[in-house]
Coordinates of all heavy atoms in Angstrom, one line a residue:
R5 N 88.1 111.2 86.5 CA 89.1 110.2 85.8 C 88.3 109.2 84.9 O 89.0 108.5 84.1 CB 89.8 109.4 86.9 CG 90.8 110.1 87.8 CD 91.3 109.2 88.8 NE 90.4 108.3 89.6 CZ 90.4 106.9 89.6 NH1 91.3 106.3 88.9 NH2 89.5 106.3 90.2
K7 N 85.7 109.7 83.1 CA 85.1 110.4 82.0 C 85.9 109.9 80.8 O 87.1 110.0 80.8 CB 85.1 111.8 82.0 CG 83.8 112.5 81.6 CD 83.7 113.9 81.9 CE 84.9 114.8 81.4 NZ 85.0 116.1 82.1
P11 N 93.7 109.8 76.7 CA 94.5 109.7 77.8 C 95.8 110.5 77.7 O 96.4 110.9 78.6 CB 94.9 108.2 77.8 CG 94.5 107.7 76.4 CD 93.4 108.6 75.9
K13 N 96.1 113.5 76.9 CA 95.8 114.9 77.3 C 95.2 114.9 78.9 O 94.9 116.0 79.3 CB 94.7 115.6 76.4 CG 95.2 115.6 75.0 CD 96.1 116.8 74.6 CE 97.0 116.8 73.4 NZ 96.9 115.6 72.5
R50 N 85.9 97.8 98.0 CA 86.6 96.7 97.6 C 87.4 96.1 98.6 O 87.8 94.9 98.6 CB 87.5 97.0 96.4 CG 86.6 97.1 95.1 CD 87.5 97.4 93.9 NE 86.7 97.5 92.7 CZ 86.4 98.7 92.2 NH1 86.8 99.9 92.9 NH2 85.7 98.9 91.1
R54 N 89.9 95.6 105.6 CA 91.3 95.1 105.4 C 92.3 96.0 106.2 O 92.1 97.2 106.4 CB 91.8 95.1 104.0 CG 90.9 94.4 103.1 CD 91.0 92.8 103.3 NE 90.8 92.0 102.0 CZ 89.6 92.1 101.5 NH1 88.5 92.6 101.9 NH2 89.5 91.3 100.3
G64 N 103.9 109.9 95.9 CA 104.1 109.1 94.7 C 103.1 107.9 94.7 O 102.0 108.0 95.1
G66 N 103.0 105.0 96.3 CA 102.7 104.5 97.5 C 101.5 105.4 98.2 O 100.6 104.7 98.7
A74 N 92.4 103.3 101.5 CA 91.5 103.8 102.6 C 90.1 104.2 102.1 O 89.2 103.8 102.8 CB 92.1 105.1 103.2
E76 N 88.7 102.6 99.8 CA 88.0 101.3 99.5 C 87.7 100.6 100.8 O 87.3 99.5 100.8 CB 88.9 100.4 98.6 CG 89.2 101.0 97.2 CD 88.0 100.9 96.4 OE1 87.0 100.3 96.7 OE2 88.2 101.3 95.1
K101 N 90.0 111.3 107.0 CA 88.8 111.9 106.4 C 88.0 110.8 105.7 O 86.7 111.0 105.6 CB 89.3 113.0 105.3 CG 88.7 114.3 105.5 CD 89.0 115.4 104.5 CE 89.8 116.5 105.0 NZ 90.5 117.3 104.0
E115 N 117.4 99.6 107.7 CA 117.7 98.9 109.0 C 116.7 97.8 109.2 O 115.5 98.0 109.3 CB 117.5 99.9 110.2 CG 118.4 101.2 110.1 CD 119.8 100.8 110.4 OE1 120.0 99.9 111.1 OE2 120.7 101.7 110.1
V123 N 106.4 96.0 111.1 CA 105.4 95.0 111.0 C 104.7 94.7 112.3 O 103.5 94.7 112.5 CB 106.1 93.7 110.4 CG1 105.1 92.5 110.5 CG2 106.5 93.9 109.1
G131 N 95.4 95.4 114.3 CA 94.8 94.1 114.7 C 95.1 93.0 113.7 O 94.3 92.2 113.6
N139 N 107.0 99.1 98.4 CA 107.0 100.2 97.4 C 108.1 101.1 97.4 O 108.4 101.8 96.5 CB 105.6 100.9 97.4 CG 105.7 102.1 96.6 OD1 105.6 102.1 95.3 ND2 105.7 103.3 97.3
A140 N 108.6 101.3 98.7 CA 109.8 102.3 98.9 C 110.8 102.0 98.0 O 111.1 100.9 97.6 CB 110.2 102.3 100.3
Y166 N 116.7 94.4 100.2 CA 116.8 94.0 101.6 C 115.5 94.3 102.4 O 114.9 93.4 103.1 CB 118.0 94.5 102.4 CG 119.4 93.8 102.0 CD1 119.9 93.8 100.8 CD2 119.8 92.9 103.1 CE1 121.0 93.1 100.5 CE2 121.1 92.3 102.8 CZ 121.7 92.4 101.5 OH 122.8 91.8 101.4
M168 N 112.5 94.8 101.3 CA 111.4 94.0 101.0 C 111.4 92.7 101.5 O 110.5 92.1 102.0 CB 111.5 93.9 99.3 CG 110.4 93.0 98.7 SD 110.5 92.8 97.0 CE 112.2 92.2 96.9
G182 N 93.9 84.7 101.7 CA 93.2 85.8 101.0 C 94.0 87.1 101.1 O 93.7 88.1 100.5
A189 N 108.0 97.0 91.2 CA 109.2 96.7 90.3 C 109.3 98.0 89.4 O 109.1 99.1 89.7 CB 109.1 95.4 89.6
S195 N 114.0 96.6 80.6 CA 114.8 97.4 79.7 C 115.7 98.4 80.5 O 115.3 99.5 80.6 CB 113.8 98.4 78.8 OG 112.8 97.6 78.2
I210 N 113.4 92.3 92.1 CA 112.1 92.3 92.7 C 111.0 91.5 91.9 O 110.3 90.7 92.5 CB 111.5 93.8 92.8 CG1 112.5 94.5 93.8 CG2 110.1 93.8 93.1 CD1 112.2 96.1 93.8
A218 N 105.6 84.0 95.0 CA 104.1 83.6 94.7 C 103.9 82.2 94.7 O 102.9 81.7 95.2 CB 103.8 84.2 93.3
G244 N 117.3 113.1 92.0 CA 118.3 112.3 91.7 C 118.1 111.1 90.8 O 119.0 110.4 90.3
G245 N 116.8 110.7 90.8 CA 116.4 109.6 89.9 C 116.8 109.8 88.4 O 117.2 108.8 87.8
Q265 N 100.6 109.7 86.1 CA 100.4 110.4 87.5 C 100.1 109.2 88.4 O 99.4 108.2 88.1 CB 99.2 111.3 87.5 CG 99.4 112.6 86.6 CD 100.5 113.5 87.3 OE1 100.7 113.6 88.5 NE2 101.5 114.1 86.4
A277 N 95.2 93.9 95.4 CA 95.0 93.7 96.8 C 93.7 93.1 97.2 O 93.5 92.4 98.1 CB 95.1 95.2 97.5
Y283 N 92.5 85.0 91.2 CA 93.2 84.0 90.4 C 94.5 84.6 89.9 O 95.1 84.1 89.1 CB 92.4 83.5 89.3 CG 92.8 82.2 88.7 CD1 92.9 81.0 89.4 CD2 93.2 82.1 87.4 CE1 93.4 79.8 88.9 CE2 93.7 80.9 86.7 CZ 93.7 79.8 87.6 OH 94.1 78.5 87.1
N295 N 105.4 101.6 76.0 CA 106.6 100.9 75.6 C 106.6 99.3 76.1 O 107.4 98.5 75.6 CB 107.9 101.5 76.2 CG 108.4 102.6 75.2 OD1 108.0 102.7 74.1 ND2 109.2 103.5 75.8

Side-chain angles (χ1 to χ4, degrees):
R5 294 182 309 123
K7 219 168 57 192
K13 304 275 161 6
R50 288 181 179 92
R54 304 290 213 288
E76 296 287 356
K101 235 183 241 166
E115 302 285 340
V123 171
N139 165 77
Y166 277 69
M168 172 182 67
S195 313
I210 292 169
Q265 291 294 323
Y283 202 60
N295 278 344

